[in-house]
Amino acid sequence: MAESTDSMIVGVILAGGQGQRMGGNKPFAIYDHAPLISHAIAALTPQVSQLLINAGEPISPVATQLRTLKTPLIYDDPATANLGPLSGIHTGLKAAIRMKAKSMISLPCDMPHIPATMVKSLVTAQMVSGADIIYIKGLRDHPLCALWQPSVFAALDQALRQADGGLGVLRFLSTQKISTLTPTDERAYTNINSLADLSLQQTI
């Protein structure tokens, strides 16, 4: 069924990082009998109009394995690649603009337990606040679990092109019109960042 771009929300799972603390290939680390990326796909797909996976650079072991999935992939622009997680946000926003989407939702591939109401809550918070970026902030900041308005793209593009070796997410957010959303369940936004995290979470 065709959907009006007035309400289209594009979801982007960020899976192009090196995942060094996970020993590489983080998206396919096994958690609860399935790859982390599978949990992220299952959690976000019902909440968005179109789901994409940011695979970083097209020539990499992770990108090669991600191509075995059914979810469409998007790749970083060489001019803004390898500058940290914001490279993936840049790519996602570019895709959202191309698709004439109203908003983009980003989600790291290492958050397997996000609530089924996350996107709805972010959209509502954006409508109330009028902010360009809304991100989850509980006991910790989760700036990559966020809603982004496509209008942010120009500022991010300029910031990345001027960045020398990288650009911190919170540093960029400090220059934008933002608001935060406090989660009702802090545990739902647990990151699986390392092999130790992987083992700990699977024993809980």
Side-chain angles (χ1 to χ4, degrees):
M1 181 173 65
E3 180 171 6
S4 168
T5 56
D6 291 341
S7 60
M8 176 179 281
I9 298 176
V10 174
V12 176
I13 296 175
L14 304 172
Q18 296 182 3
Q20 293 178 342
R21 284 183 289 176
M22 193 70 79
N25 205 15
K26 180 193 282 190
F28 292 93
I30 300 300
Y31 174 79
D32 195 17
H33 310 293
L36 275 174
I37 190 76
S38 297
H39 295 288
I41 291 171
L44 196 53
T45 295
Q47 302 189 50
V48 297
S49 310
Q50 173 68 56
L51 185 66
L52 305 170
I53 295 175
N54 172 246
E57 295 185 291
I59 302 176
S60 71
V62 171
T64 298
Q65 197 161 359
L66 287 170
R67 280 193 283 272
T68 65
L69 303 175
K70 295 180 180 180
T71 307
L73 305 185
I74 51 176
Y75 303 101
D76 294 342
D77 183 330
T80 54
N82 298 313
L83 294 175
L86 285 173
S87 292
I89 298 297
H90 179 273
T91 303
L93 285 170
K94 184 185 290 187
I97 291 170
R98 184 175 66 249
M99 300 168 70
K100 299 181 180 179
K102 181 179 181 180
S103 304
M104 184 199 84
I105 300 290
S106 60
L107 177 70
C109 69
D110 60 4
M111 277 190 175
H113 298 300
I114 62 163
T117 57
M118 183 193 77
V119 172
K120 182 178 180 180
S121 297
L122 286 169
V123 169
T124 300
Q126 192 281 322
M127 292 174 64
V128 171
S129 68
D132 295 323
I133 303 166
I134 308 283
Y135 70 89
I136 303 296
K137 179 180 174 64
L139 297 176
R140 293 179 52 203
D141 289 289
H142 299 291
L144 296 176
C145 193
L147 179 150
W148 307 73
Q149 296 294 78
S151 57
V152 173
F153 177 79
L156 179 56
D157 183 68
Q158 181 179 19
L160 284 173
R161 291 176 188 275
Q162 294 175 347
D164 182 14
L167 178 62
V169 181
L170 291 175
R171 179 180 173 187
F172 174 72
L173 292 181
S174 71
T175 69
Q176 301 300 304
K177 184 180 180 182
I178 66 166
S179 186
T180 59
L181 178 64
T182 303
T184 56
D185 181 4
E186 190 80 28
R187 294 171 300 175
Y189 294 95
T190 300
N191 290 89
I192 310 296
N193 275 320
S194 65
L195 291 174
D197 289 343
L198 195 66
S199 299
L200 177 64
Q201 290 298 316
Q202 297 194 97
T203 58
I204 293 177

